[in-house]
Amino acid sequence: ASIEAHRDAIEEVLFTSDGNLLSASRDRSVRLWDSYTNQLLAEYPGHGDWVLALGATPDGQTIVTAGYDHIQF
């Protein structure tokens, strides 16, 4: 399967504890996907440059990101 909704290269992907997929992209966004249907569940904007790294708490309730803009969420 492929994810074609990002407008630039994907830098990192991460499976959440509930089996969904997070993707971080050079298009400055982080997106949450249903890994079974490939449906976009949420988009998290906020970075001013490439998003380079992802993390999530074990319960899946908190997502952390770091970008080339030196901002961490």
Side-chain angles (χ1 to χ4, degrees):
S2 65
I3 297 173
E4 298 182 16
H6 279 288
R7 294 176 300 281
D8 206 334
I10 294 173
E11 288 290 326
E12 187 168 10
V13 295
L14 172 75
F15 281 98
T16 61
S17 60
D18 61 359
N20 289 325
L21 180 74
L22 285 166
S23 58
S25 174
R26 291 182 181 184
D27 69 4
R28 304 176 185 182
S29 72
V30 172
R31 296 181 183 191
L32 178 66
W33 306 88
D34 181 308
S35 62
Y36 299 103
T37 66
N38 293 339
Q39 179 181 0
L40 179 63
L41 300 175
E43 182 173 359
Y44 305 99
H47 280 281
D49 211 330
W50 299 355
V51 185
L52 301 173
L54 287 171
T57 56
D59 65 4
Q61 296 299 306
T62 303
I63 298 168
V64 294
T65 65
Y68 196 68
D69 55 4
H70 304 285
I71 295 174
Q72 299 85 36
F73 289 102

